[in-house]
mmCIF file of all heavy atoms in Angstrom:
data_model
loop_
_atom_site.group_PDB
_atom_site.id
_atom_site.type_symbol
_atom_site.label_atom_id
_atom_site.label_comp_id
_atom_site.label_asym_id
_atom_site.label_seq_id
_atom_site.Cartn_x
_atom_site.Cartn_y
_atom_site.Cartn_z
ATOM 1 N N ALA A 144 12.099 -2.530 4.503
ATOM 2 C CA ALA A 144 12.314 -1.457 5.483
ATOM 3 C C ALA A 144 11.020 -0.670 5.771
ATOM 4 O O ALA A 144 10.307 -0.298 4.868
ATOM 5 C CB ALA A 144 13.407 -0.518 4.996
ATOM 6 N N ILE A 145 10.774 -0.489 7.053
ATOM 7 C CA ILE A 145 9.546 0.194 7.513
ATOM 8 C C ILE A 145 9.687 1.711 7.326
ATOM 9 O O ILE A 145 10.672 2.318 7.758
ATOM 10 C CB ILE A 145 9.277 -0.142 8.986
ATOM 11 C CG1 ILE A 145 8.870 -1.605 9.110
ATOM 12 C CG2 ILE A 145 8.169 0.767 9.553
ATOM 13 C CD1 ILE A 145 8.780 -2.121 10.544
ATOM 14 N N ILE A 146 8.679 2.300 6.680
ATOM 15 C CA ILE A 146 8.672 3.752 6.461
ATOM 16 C C ILE A 146 7.880 4.440 7.567
ATOM 17 O O ILE A 146 8.361 5.361 8.219
ATOM 18 C CB ILE A 146 8.105 4.100 5.064
ATOM 19 C CG1 ILE A 146 8.905 3.358 3.975
ATOM 20 C CG2 ILE A 146 8.160 5.624 4.823
ATOM 21 C CD1 ILE A 146 8.247 3.386 2.579
ATOM 22 N N LEU A 147 6.648 3.989 7.783
ATOM 23 C CA LEU A 147 5.773 4.593 8.830
ATOM 24 C C LEU A 147 4.973 3.498 9.525
ATOM 25 O O LEU A 147 4.607 2.495 8.890
ATOM 26 C CB LEU A 147 4.784 5.575 8.214
ATOM 27 C CG LEU A 147 5.292 6.866 7.578
ATOM 28 C CD1 LEU A 147 4.143 7.617 6.931
ATOM 29 C CD2 LEU A 147 5.993 7.772 8.599
ATOM 30 N N GLN A 148 4.719 3.701 10.783
ATOM 31 C CA GLN A 148 3.778 2.822 11.512
ATOM 32 C C GLN A 148 2.867 3.669 12.380
ATOM 33 O O GLN A 148 3.295 4.697 12.938
ATOM 34 C CB GLN A 148 4.525 1.834 12.428
ATOM 35 C CG GLN A 148 5.176 0.714 11.651
ATOM 36 C CD GLN A 148 5.747 -0.385 12.524
ATOM 37 O OE1 GLN A 148 6.517 -0.079 13.441
ATOM 38 N NE2 GLN A 148 5.403 -1.620 12.267
ATOM 39 N N GLU A 149 1.611 3.243 12.528
ATOM 40 C CA GLU A 149 0.665 3.886 13.448
ATOM 41 C C GLU A 149 -0.024 2.779 14.236
ATOM 42 O O GLU A 149 -0.386 1.759 13.645
ATOM 43 C CB GLU A 149 -0.375 4.715 12.705
ATOM 44 C CG GLU A 149 0.151 5.976 12.024
ATOM 45 C CD GLU A 149 0.702 7.037 12.965
ATOM 46 O OE1 GLU A 149 0.352 7.017 14.171
ATOM 47 O OE2 GLU A 149 1.513 7.849 12.506
ATOM 48 N N ALA A 150 -0.246 3.022 15.511
ATOM 49 C CA ALA A 150 -0.906 2.031 16.356
ATOM 50 C C ALA A 150 -2.354 2.447 16.676
ATOM 51 O O ALA A 150 -2.681 3.628 16.700
ATOM 52 C CB ALA A 150 -0.124 1.860 17.657
ATOM 53 N N VAL A 151 -3.204 1.453 16.886
ATOM 54 C CA VAL A 151 -4.571 1.684 17.369
ATOM 55 C C VAL A 151 -4.815 0.712 18.534
ATOM 56 O O VAL A 151 -4.231 -0.356 18.571
ATOM 57 C CB VAL A 151 -5.641 1.471 16.269
ATOM 58 C CG1 VAL A 151 -5.423 2.351 15.044
ATOM 59 C CG2 VAL A 151 -5.731 0.012 15.865
ATOM 60 N N PRO A 152 -5.730 1.107 19.457
ATOM 61 C CA PRO A 152 -6.046 0.172 20.562
ATOM 62 C C PRO A 152 -6.911 -0.984 20.064
ATOM 63 O O PRO A 152 -7.636 -0.851 19.081
ATOM 64 C CB PRO A 152 -6.834 1.044 21.542
ATOM 65 C CG PRO A 152 -7.374 2.190 20.739
ATOM 66 C CD PRO A 152 -6.437 2.391 19.587
ATOM 67 N N VAL A 153 -6.826 -2.088 20.786
ATOM 68 C CA VAL A 153 -7.726 -3.231 20.531
ATOM 69 C C VAL A 153 -8.486 -3.479 21.832
ATOM 70 O O VAL A 153 -7.908 -3.607 22.890
ATOM 71 C CB VAL A 153 -6.913 -4.501 20.146
ATOM 72 C CG1 VAL A 153 -7.820 -5.696 20.026
ATOM 73 C CG2 VAL A 153 -6.111 -4.274 18.862
ATOM 74 N N TYR A 154 -9.829 -3.505 21.713
ATOM 75 C CA TYR A 154 -10.689 -3.705 22.871
ATOM 76 C C TYR A 154 -11.214 -5.146 22.928
ATOM 77 O O TYR A 154 -11.334 -5.798 21.879
ATOM 78 C CB TYR A 154 -11.852 -2.708 22.846
ATOM 79 C CG TYR A 154 -11.381 -1.276 22.790
ATOM 80 C CD1 TYR A 154 -11.588 -0.491 21.646
ATOM 81 C CD2 TYR A 154 -10.664 -0.705 23.847
ATOM 82 C CE1 TYR A 154 -11.124 0.826 21.581
ATOM 83 C CE2 TYR A 154 -10.191 0.585 23.778
ATOM 84 C CZ TYR A 154 -10.440 1.373 22.633
ATOM 85 O OH TYR A 154 -9.967 2.635 22.569
ATOM 86 N N PHE A 155 -11.512 -5.591 24.138
ATOM 87 C CA PHE A 155 -11.922 -7.014 24.316
ATOM 88 C C PHE A 155 -13.116 -7.392 23.437
ATOM 89 O O PHE A 155 -13.173 -8.490 22.898
ATOM 90 C CB PHE A 155 -12.220 -7.287 25.798
ATOM 91 C CG PHE A 155 -12.390 -8.755 26.056
ATOM 92 C CD1 PHE A 155 -11.276 -9.589 26.148
ATOM 93 C CD2 PHE A 155 -13.650 -9.333 26.163
ATOM 94 C CE1 PHE A 155 -11.427 -10.951 26.350
ATOM 95 C CE2 PHE A 155 -13.787 -10.684 26.366
ATOM 96 C CZ PHE A 155 -12.670 -11.496 26.463
ATOM 97 N N GLU A 156 -14.055 -6.465 23.327
ATOM 98 C CA GLU A 156 -15.300 -6.775 22.593
ATOM 99 C C GLU A 156 -15.140 -6.677 21.082
ATOM 100 O O GLU A 156 -16.057 -6.990 20.318
ATOM 101 C CB GLU A 156 -16.425 -5.803 22.978
ATOM 102 C CG GLU A 156 -16.722 -5.673 24.479
ATOM 103 C CD GLU A 156 -15.659 -4.880 25.233
ATOM 104 O OE1 GLU A 156 -14.935 -4.082 24.588
ATOM 105 O OE2 GLU A 156 -15.503 -5.106 26.428
ATOM 106 N N ASP A 157 -13.975 -6.208 20.586
ATOM 107 C CA ASP A 157 -13.804 -5.961 19.157
ATOM 108 C C ASP A 157 -14.039 -7.183 18.294
ATOM 109 O O ASP A 157 -13.601 -8.292 18.634
ATOM 110 C CB ASP A 157 -12.369 -5.463 18.872
ATOM 111 C CG ASP A 157 -12.220 -3.980 19.090
ATOM 112 O OD1 ASP A 157 -13.221 -3.257 19.144
ATOM 113 O OD2 ASP A 157 -11.061 -3.534 19.198
ATOM 114 N N THR A 158 -14.680 -6.974 17.126
ATOM 115 C CA THR A 158 -14.692 -7.992 16.091
ATOM 116 C C THR A 158 -13.552 -7.647 15.120
ATOM 117 O O THR A 158 -13.004 -6.541 15.156
ATOM 118 C CB THR A 158 -16.016 -7.951 15.301
ATOM 119 O OG1 THR A 158 -16.129 -6.675 14.666
ATOM 120 C CG2 THR A 158 -17.211 -8.190 16.212
ATOM 121 N N ALA A 159 -13.254 -8.587 14.235
ATOM 122 C CA ALA A 159 -12.202 -8.321 13.231
ATOM 123 C C ALA A 159 -12.571 -7.090 12.418
ATOM 124 O O ALA A 159 -11.731 -6.240 12.094
ATOM 125 C CB ALA A 159 -12.027 -9.529 12.322
ATOM 126 N N GLU A 160 -13.859 -6.939 12.129
ATOM 127 C CA GLU A 160 -14.314 -5.779 11.349
ATOM 128 C C GLU A 160 -14.115 -4.460 12.103
ATOM 129 O O GLU A 160 -13.755 -3.451 11.507
ATOM 130 C CB GLU A 160 -15.788 -5.980 10.993
ATOM 131 C CG GLU A 160 -16.215 -5.140 9.821
ATOM 132 C CD GLU A 160 -17.719 -5.231 9.594
ATOM 133 O OE1 GLU A 160 -18.378 -6.177 10.077
ATOM 134 O OE2 GLU A 160 -18.248 -4.301 8.958
ATOM 135 N N ASP A 161 -14.353 -4.489 13.412
ATOM 136 C CA ASP A 161 -14.115 -3.265 14.215
ATOM 137 C C ASP A 161 -12.654 -2.833 14.113
ATOM 138 O O ASP A 161 -12.356 -1.643 13.903
ATOM 139 C CB ASP A 161 -14.413 -3.538 15.705
ATOM 140 C CG ASP A 161 -15.890 -3.784 16.000
ATOM 141 O OD1 ASP A 161 -16.717 -3.290 15.219
ATOM 142 O OD2 ASP A 161 -16.157 -4.506 16.982
ATOM 143 N N ILE A 162 -11.761 -3.796 14.225
ATOM 144 C CA ILE A 162 -10.327 -3.455 14.179
ATOM 145 C C ILE A 162 -9.969 -2.973 12.776
ATOM 146 O O ILE A 162 -9.249 -1.997 12.604
ATOM 147 C CB ILE A 162 -9.434 -4.637 14.607
ATOM 148 C CG1 ILE A 162 -9.817 -5.100 15.991
ATOM 149 C CG2 ILE A 162 -7.943 -4.247 14.573
ATOM 150 C CD1 ILE A 162 -9.093 -6.377 16.450
ATOM 151 N N GLN A 163 -10.487 -3.699 11.767
ATOM 152 C CA GLN A 163 -10.206 -3.313 10.371
ATOM 153 C C GLN A 163 -10.598 -1.862 10.132
ATOM 154 O O GLN A 163 -9.812 -1.100 9.556
ATOM 155 C CB GLN A 163 -10.999 -4.248 9.462
ATOM 156 C CG GLN A 163 -10.707 -4.034 7.994
ATOM 157 C CD GLN A 163 -11.453 -5.078 7.152
ATOM 158 O OE1 GLN A 163 -12.640 -5.358 7.390
ATOM 159 N NE2 GLN A 163 -10.750 -5.678 6.206
ATOM 160 N N LYS A 164 -11.771 -1.479 10.595
ATOM 161 C CA LYS A 164 -12.247 -0.117 10.373
ATOM 162 C C LYS A 164 -11.347 0.907 11.091
ATOM 163 O O LYS A 164 -11.013 1.937 10.507
ATOM 164 C CB LYS A 164 -13.678 0.053 10.928
ATOM 165 C CG LYS A 164 -14.713 -0.514 9.994
ATOM 166 C CD LYS A 164 -16.108 -0.147 10.500
ATOM 167 C CE LYS A 164 -17.175 -0.838 9.686
ATOM 168 N NZ LYS A 164 -18.410 -1.091 10.428
ATOM 169 N N ARG A 165 -10.966 0.573 12.331
ATOM 170 C CA ARG A 165 -10.125 1.508 13.103
ATOM 171 C C ARG A 165 -8.743 1.649 12.438
ATOM 172 O O ARG A 165 -8.202 2.736 12.376
ATOM 173 C CB ARG A 165 -9.957 0.960 14.541
ATOM 174 C CG ARG A 165 -9.618 2.013 15.561
ATOM 175 C CD ARG A 165 -9.683 1.424 16.983
ATOM 176 N NE ARG A 165 -10.995 0.981 17.347
ATOM 177 C CZ ARG A 165 -11.276 -0.211 17.915
ATOM 178 N NH1 ARG A 165 -10.305 -1.079 18.212
ATOM 179 N NH2 ARG A 165 -12.510 -0.564 18.188
ATOM 180 N N VAL A 166 -8.222 0.558 11.935
ATOM 181 C CA VAL A 166 -6.900 0.562 11.301
ATOM 182 C C VAL A 166 -6.966 1.318 9.961
ATOM 183 O O VAL A 166 -6.067 2.106 9.638
ATOM 184 C CB VAL A 166 -6.364 -0.885 11.099
ATOM 185 C CG1 VAL A 166 -5.142 -0.884 10.203
ATOM 186 C CG2 VAL A 166 -6.026 -1.519 12.447
ATOM 187 N N LEU A 167 -8.069 1.107 9.241
ATOM 188 C CA LEU A 167 -8.200 1.763 7.912
ATOM 189 C C LEU A 167 -8.150 3.299 8.033
ATOM 190 O O LEU A 167 -7.597 3.979 7.168
ATOM 191 C CB LEU A 167 -9.485 1.339 7.217
ATOM 192 C CG LEU A 167 -9.366 0.156 6.244
ATOM 193 C CD1 LEU A 167 -10.744 -0.201 5.688
ATOM 194 C CD2 LEU A 167 -8.387 0.410 5.085
ATOM 195 N N VAL A 168 -8.742 3.830 9.123
ATOM 196 C CA VAL A 168 -8.729 5.264 9.328
ATOM 197 C C VAL A 168 -7.265 5.764 9.331
ATOM 198 O O VAL A 168 -6.927 6.780 8.687
ATOM 199 C CB VAL A 168 -9.432 5.657 10.642
ATOM 200 C CG1 VAL A 168 -9.214 7.134 10.984
ATOM 201 C CG2 VAL A 168 -10.896 5.319 10.582
ATOM 202 N N GLU A 169 -6.400 5.008 10.016
ATOM 203 C CA GLU A 169 -4.983 5.377 10.039
ATOM 204 C C GLU A 169 -4.308 5.169 8.692
ATOM 205 O O GLU A 169 -3.510 5.981 8.237
ATOM 206 C CB GLU A 169 -4.242 4.571 11.132
ATOM 207 C CG GLU A 169 -4.736 4.812 12.535
ATOM 208 C CD GLU A 169 -4.792 6.280 12.918
ATOM 209 O OE1 GLU A 169 -3.837 7.016 12.595
ATOM 210 O OE2 GLU A 169 -5.798 6.700 13.526
ATOM 211 N N GLU A 170 -4.655 4.064 8.014
ATOM 212 C CA GLU A 170 -4.049 3.764 6.716
ATOM 213 C C GLU A 170 -4.269 4.920 5.739
ATOM 214 O O GLU A 170 -3.362 5.295 5.004
ATOM 215 C CB GLU A 170 -4.666 2.486 6.106
ATOM 216 C CG GLU A 170 -4.289 1.233 6.872
ATOM 217 C CD GLU A 170 -4.787 -0.017 6.140
ATOM 218 O OE1 GLU A 170 -4.688 -0.073 4.915
ATOM 219 O OE2 GLU A 170 -5.262 -0.936 6.809
#
Side-chain angles (χ1 to χ4, degrees):
I145 291 171
I146 304 168
L147 294 174
Q148 285 188 308
E149 292 295 338
V151 302
V153 174
Y154 304 112
F155 190 78
E156 306 74 23
D157 276 343
T158 62
E160 200 187 340
D161 292 332
I162 303 174
Q163 185 175 44
K164 282 188 186 152
R165 203 172 298 133
V166 169
L167 266 177
V168 171
E169 297 308 317
E170 292 187 41

